[in-house]
Amino acid sequence: MTYGSNLIQANLNFTINRGDVFVIMGGSGCGKSTLLKHMIGLFQPAEGDILFQGQSYFSATSEKQLEMRKRWGVTYQGGALFSDKSLAENIALPLEQYTSLGRRSIRELARYKLSLVGLAGFEDYYPSQISGGMAKRAGLARAIALDPEILFFDEPSAGLDPLSARRLDELILQLRDSTGATIVIVTHELASIFAIGNNGVYLDAETKTQLDTGSPSDMLNHSRHNTVRAFLSRGEYSGESAKGAEPQPLHADRRAGV
Amino acid sequence: MNQATLTIKQLSDTEIVVTLNGSWTIGADIPGQDELASKRTHGQSGTLLFKAGDHFCWDSRLLAYLMACQANTQCRFDLSGLPDDVGDLFRLANAVPANKAQPTRKRSLAGTASQWITHVGDGVINFLAFLGELALTMVRWIAGKGSARWLDIVSFCHQAGPSAIPIVSLQSVLVGMILAYLGVVQLRQFGAEIYVSDLVGVGMVREMGALMTAVIMSGRTGAAYAAQLGTMQVNEEIDALTTLGIKPMDYLVLPRTLALLLMMPLLTLYSNVLGMVGGGLVATSMDVTWLMYLHQLREAITYTDILTGVIKSVVFALLIAMAGCRAGLACGRSSAAVGQATTNAVVTAIIYLVVADAGLNILYFKLGV
């Protein structure tokens, strides 16, 4: 992944299994959000590929890409709600685009999705009239409008108080359990990482590659990299050479079979 | 308040004791760094041992001073003679080594000319790419596959049409009057004031009506488009649309462009009429009656003239919408970027307008219309 000639991350290789809660973690500025934007097809990787159910997204035709996108839901850091539309209209937009439902059914669906995230009764509010945490939840409601198979979250708990962050985590788990969706989360909140993640990847800003992949608790206890263990234990673990950890043999490509 | 002073005592070749007296605080007068530097005999290595002297008090000013001194010397600083807090803060400030790399400068003098040329080159390429994409989007829409909604188009038409009428009216009447004054003064010398109708009529219909309306609209609507799309870019709304599988080109750019394409010719015709009224106000104040003025207008203007103006306005509408939407979509992720996108939209729109107007005039001349 690069920004112009600026290398962000290289040699990434990981697999996300169906039903996982997959956490992309790492220090600030290591390229977590950038990786997510590649995974949802906003940026094209400079090299390598991203596979979704064995199919490459970037070499697919635009119809195929659209087909894949409809099966993904994305929640953005600030919610990214359309500010000129009410919450119900925000959620209705994908439904209007891809289904032939009538106005009434769309409105009912929007109301149902909003009540899933605890915002029943806020259908006619505009994004500027609700709080940041509510906007995030509304963004989640829009992301699940089309019952996606994969849900992507960009820093869901950033800027939320601990209690709301925890409620959001619980909500994510409940949605995973009841809809069977796979969850991919970018976060550096340790509490969230351990509470909900069962798989993940650690990106390092210094070596510009992934240091480890696997479940967060495994990584905490058994990672070969001191940086990863230090990160996951909030700095309490420090091996002899926390900084000099050699990256393990690099992987040849960076395929992410989703 | 006690004057801040320092006394320096050389203990050995490598050890110097610096005693700080008085008040080393913000607002106090403290000795310059060179005082310390000049009195150091063996300046390049060794230890500086700082001690608190008489009436010593301190705040951030002292630490800033120590940091600045440290940057100019290789000496080791021993702060054990100062209060513990000073030592702690000094260690904290030095915990992370300073970044040596400079932030990349956007522009260097030597590179300016070549940068400017590539900038213009990129501009042309981007313009063509955007035009191509817009054309494809329009073809898709005409084939019934686009996702532009009529409701959106209607609301943008309202913004770009009826809401612009007051400002277009004012502008058109004044431009008509300006043209008339310009003509009357010259034509009076030949006693041919009546031909002011020709000047105002042809001037408005072929040139000023379309051009001035376009200038107003690029400041009004083009800038609004850039700001709307730019803000959406900042809020990640455009990313959200894309991941919902909705093309920003279809959903955001097309309805705006169509609205302008529909409204601009109408506004231009309206502007033509009001311009002639403005011209008439001036002409009738100088020995020309309304009847003569209108009669001469009918003689002067042909339908071809009106058509040339309308064609111009359609081209201008496309250019304004493109400049606005492209600047908005290319907007960065900060509030400053939105301002820049807006400026960019208006400036490029006006450049496009002038170039296109010149080009069209040459074309009309060659075609003999």
Side-chain angles (χ1 to χ4, degrees):
Chain A
M1 307 187 299
T2 56
Y3 270 124
S5 58
N6 196 358
L7 179 74
I8 308 294
Q9 285 281 331
N11 297 309
L12 303 179
N13 179 13
F14 52 86
T15 307
I16 303 169
N17 304 308
R18 190 181 291 270
D20 269 356
V21 176
F22 188 91
V23 189
I24 300 171
M25 52 197 140
S28 304
C30 70
K32 301 183 294 285
S33 294
T34 313
L35 173 61
L36 188 82
K37 286 189 172 159
H38 281 78
M39 292 171 74
I40 57 181
L42 286 178
F43 296 162
Q44 187 156 5
E47 234 176 79
D49 210 342
I50 291 168
L51 303 183
F52 171 63
Q53 296 181 343
Q55 284 183 326
S56 161
Y57 176 81
F58 291 101
S59 50
T61 60
S62 54
E63 287 86 25
K64 268 259 158 42
Q65 288 189 345
L66 184 63
E67 205 51 51
M68 291 186 201
R69 278 191 169 166
K70 277 195 243 173
R71 291 150 72 188
W72 306 340
V74 187
T75 308
Y76 292 86
Q77 259 185 53
L81 298 168
F82 305 121
S83 44
D84 58 341
K85 292 183 163 52
S86 71
L87 297 192
E89 286 168 342
N90 261 285
I91 295 162
L93 183 68
L95 296 168
E96 282 168 6
Q97 289 284 325
Y98 299 121
T99 64
S100 49
L101 294 170
R103 279 178 96 100
R104 177 110 175 248
S105 331
I106 286 182
R107 170 101 190 164
E108 284 164 9
L109 263 172
R111 190 183 162 85
Y112 160 66
K113 298 286 176 186
L114 276 174
S115 50
L116 276 184
V117 298
L119 288 175
F122 285 94
E123 291 93 66
D124 295 321
Y125 280 61
Y126 281 84
S128 55
Q129 295 170 311
I130 59 175
S131 73
M134 289 159 86
K136 279 191 185 196
R137 280 185 282 153
L140 174 55
R142 187 180 63 192
I144 59 174
L146 292 172
D147 296 325
E149 292 167 37
I150 311 180
L151 259 175
F152 294 93
F153 290 87
D154 193 0
E155 310 235 354
S157 41
L160 293 187
D161 63 272
L163 217 55
S164 316
R166 191 187 155 161
R167 276 199 212 112
L168 195 64
D169 284 349
E170 280 166 5
L171 183 62
I172 292 170
L173 275 189
Q174 279 169 2
L175 284 174
R176 199 264 317 248
D177 292 342
S178 49
T179 65
T182 307
I183 312 270
V184 179
I185 296 185
V186 166
T187 186
H188 46 224
E189 297 279 330
L190 281 180
S192 298
I193 291 175
F194 288 112
I196 61 176
N198 69 347
N199 195 356
V201 62
Y202 181 90
L203 304 184
D204 188 46
E206 256 171 62
T207 54
K208 295 190 189 300
T209 186
Q210 72 183 49
L211 284 187
D212 213 343
T213 169
S215 98
S217 46
D218 272 0
M219 278 200 249
L220 170 63
N221 296 319
H222 307 296
S223 176
R224 285 167 301 194
H225 299 282
N226 295 325
T227 326
V228 180
R229 293 168 83 161
F231 177 88
L232 287 172
S233 61
R234 226 170 163 250
E236 274 161 35
Y237 175 90
S238 57
E240 293 97 36
S241 55
K243 272 205 169 159
E246 269 304 298
Q248 288 302 303
L250 301 177
H251 302 285
D253 61 354
R254 78 177 93 110
R255 278 160 189 272
V258 173
Chain B
M1 200 188 294
N2 292 296
Q3 175 72 32
T5 55
L6 51 83
T7 52
I8 295 172
K9 201 160 77 185
Q10 186 99 21
L11 280 191
S12 68
D13 272 2
T14 56
E15 237 184 340
I16 300 167
V17 177
V18 182
T19 312
L20 306 174
N21 304 307
S23 140
W24 291 72
T25 55
I26 292 169
D29 222 6
I30 64 168
Q33 282 172 47
D34 24 329
E35 196 166 330
L36 187 60
S38 64
K39 288 186 187 165
R40 258 187 300 112
T41 43
H42 300 277
Q44 288 316 307
S45 60
T47 306
L48 288 173
L49 186 64
F50 285 88
K51 274 195 174 145
D54 302 332
H55 307 294
F56 175 67
C57 62
W58 62 280
D59 64 8
S60 296
R61 185 74 187 276
L62 171 66
L63 283 145
Y65 176 79
L66 290 175
M67 295 289 292
C69 290
Q70 184 188 236
N72 293 337
T73 164
Q74 257 103 56
C75 291
R76 213 176 62 77
F77 278 37
D78 184 344
L79 305 181
S80 53
L82 295 176
D84 287 347
D85 294 347
V86 177
D88 290 346
L89 286 171
F90 190 74
R91 265 189 298 284
L92 183 63
N94 280 305
V96 178
N99 177 29
K100 293 280 190 299
Q102 290 296 311
T104 44
R105 285 281 170 102
K106 280 217 171 121
R107 186 173 286 211
S108 72
L109 261 179
T112 315
S114 69
Q115 273 171 357
W116 191 79
I117 291 168
T118 43
H119 183 73
V120 171
D122 284 352
V124 172
I125 292 170
N126 287 339
F127 172 82
L128 291 176
F130 196 82
L131 182 65
E133 208 179 329
L134 186 61
L136 286 176
T137 309
M138 249 180 226
V139 169
R140 257 206 317 275
W141 181 72
I142 291 167
K145 283 188 202 150
S147 49
R149 298 184 307 176
W150 278 108
L151 203 67
D152 284 346
I153 298 179
V154 170
S155 103
F156 286 125
C157 277
H158 179 76
Q159 281 173 27
S163 321
I165 281 193
I167 177 108
V168 171
S169 311
L170 177 72
Q171 169 265 123
S172 306
V173 171
L174 292 178
V175 168
M177 289 172 74
I178 292 168
L179 283 178
Y181 274 119
L182 207 67
V184 155
V185 172
Q186 302 299 321
L187 293 169
R188 188 183 272 164
Q189 299 172 19
F190 315 105
E193 287 105 319
I194 182 65
Y195 290 107
V196 77
S197 292
D198 293 57
L199 186 83
V200 172
V202 175
M204 281 312 289
V205 165
R206 289 189 72 109
E207 188 64 58
M208 298 311 275
L211 188 64
M212 290 308 291
T213 308
V215 169
I216 297 275
M217 293 307 277
S218 60
R220 202 182 167 276
T221 309
Y225 288 176
Q228 287 162 3
L229 299 191
T231 317
M232 291 186 77
Q233 188 70 267
V234 173
N235 288 340
E236 298 186 302
E237 289 175 42
I238 294 195
D239 284 355
L241 267 184
T242 314
T243 43
L244 286 175
I246 300 171
K247 291 199 178 89
M249 211 64 190
D250 280 355
Y251 189 76
L252 300 173
V253 177
L254 187 65
R256 287 174 168 80
T257 311
L258 287 174
L260 259 188
L261 282 175
L262 283 173
M263 287 299 120
M264 277 280 287
L266 299 179
L267 280 178
T268 301
L269 289 175
Y270 173 75
S271 159
N272 289 344
V273 173
L274 281 196
M276 291 176 213
V277 171
L281 290 177
V282 175
T284 48
S285 69
M286 303 185 189
D287 311 336
V288 181
T289 64
W290 273 107
L291 206 62
M292 287 156 70
Y293 178 78
L294 289 176
H295 179 76
Q296 188 61 32
L297 263 182
R298 264 190 59 189
E299 299 279 301
I301 306 169
T302 63
Y303 283 109
T304 322
D305 290 328
I306 297 177
L307 192 65
T308 56
V310 169
I311 290 174
K312 270 186 187 175
S313 76
V314 173
V315 174
F316 293 166
L318 184 70
L319 293 174
I320 294 168
M322 280 178 62
C325 292
R326 197 161 67 83
L329 288 180
C331 177
R333 294 271 156 123
S334 64
S335 50
V338 177
Q340 210 167 19
T342 317
T343 316
N344 211 342
V346 178
V347 173
T348 41
I350 288 178
I351 293 173
Y352 288 169
L353 290 182
V354 174
V355 172
D357 195 24
L360 282 171
N361 277 339
I362 295 171
L363 182 71
Y364 289 160
F365 180 74
K366 294 278 178 200
L367 291 176
V369 289

